[in-house]
Amino acid sequence: MPVFADHSQSEDKISIASDSRSPWSVEVMEGSGARVAVLGDTIKHFPAGQLSAFDISAASVSKEDIQVHIVSPAKRPVSYQLTESGEGVYRVAFVTTEVGSYVVDVAVAGQKVQGSPFIAKAYDAGLIRVSDVPNGVVGQPCQFRVDASQAGEGQLEISINDGEVPNHVQVLGGGRCLVSFTPDTAKLHTIDIKVR
């Protein structure tokens, strides 16, 4: 059975050489599932307590046709602003305070977009605790502890002196780890921890 996909709204002719009834005309209409995409990393991962935003790309759709529902980890609705940021592109901006998983439901003209509802995870890097940081000695291993158990989900990126000094991370579980490095020069070493 022949199958085709057409992405334009027009009338197409289909010819099949072995059939005397050919060609047939097939009218192609714009469907309710018009090309819609949710864009931006925020739909997956974002910092709590800061303005966050993601975009909805929906050509030939008005702002009134877009429905968004954001629910916090405590099951409370999150308010947001929906603005048109370009032709057929709409920005959803919001601020959250809770660390955890948010449910983001996006629909256009009553139809859920592909992938919706999305699970977006909020983190707070300010809740990462570093402890047991000793003074180091050149050529001897130095260890410290990192506790990100209250900071939310995310990938920790740990660097020492902007990545100039290699380090090793031992995962202890429950959002905690032990980091070790060996200083190679006698100078102040800066530990930088980011959440990705």
Side-chain angles (χ1 to χ4, degrees):
M1 167 181 264
V3 177
F4 75 100
D6 190 347
H7 300 289
S8 63
Q9 183 174 344
S10 62
E11 185 174 289
D12 291 331
K13 291 202 183 279
I14 301 172
S15 296
I16 300 176
S18 65
D19 193 325
S20 61
R21 296 178 290 157
S22 177
W24 291 280
S25 293
V26 177
E27 188 172 353
V28 178
M29 304 297 290
E30 192 70 42
S32 60
R35 286 185 279 301
V36 176
V38 177
L39 311 169
D41 288 338
T42 297
I43 200 65
K44 298 175 188 166
H45 200 238
F46 61 92
Q50 297 179 24
L51 180 66
S52 298
F54 62 89
D55 292 326
I56 300 170
S57 174
S60 308
V61 172
S62 70
K63 179 179 166 183
E64 291 74 29
D65 290 331
I66 297 176
Q67 299 89 39
V68 177
H69 299 284
I70 304 172
V71 180
S72 75
K75 309 293 185 233
R76 290 189 297 265
V78 174
S79 61
Y80 63 90
Q81 280 193 315
L82 178 66
T83 56
E84 188 167 1
S85 61
E87 190 174 323
V89 178
Y90 301 90
R91 174 150 286 196
V92 178
F94 58 98
V95 176
T96 62
T97 55
E98 293 176 67
V99 168
S101 297
Y102 286 74
V103 177
V104 181
D105 207 358
V106 179
V108 175
Q111 298 292 315
K112 285 189 179 199
V113 302
Q114 185 175 358
S116 186
F118 301 94
I119 304 300
K121 299 185 184 287
Y123 63 90
D124 185 346
L127 297 175
I128 296 172
R129 300 290 172 244
V130 178
S131 61
D132 302 332
V133 182
N135 289 325
V137 176
V138 173
Q140 293 186 13
C142 184
Q143 292 184 332
F144 60 91
R145 295 183 180 278
V146 176
D147 182 349
S149 61
Q150 302 302 308
E153 290 185 42
Q155 183 71 35
L156 289 183
E157 184 178 289
I158 301 170
S159 66
I160 300 168
N161 288 358
D162 293 322
E164 292 176 6
V165 179
N167 66 73
H168 173 73
V169 178
Q170 178 185 352
V171 177
L172 303 174
R176 294 172 180 84
C177 61
L178 183 64
V179 181
S180 61
F181 69 98
T182 303
D184 57 1
T185 57
K187 67 176 186 178
L188 182 66
H189 283 60
T190 304
I191 299 166
D192 187 30
I193 301 175
K194 296 179 181 168
V195 180
R196 301 266 181 216

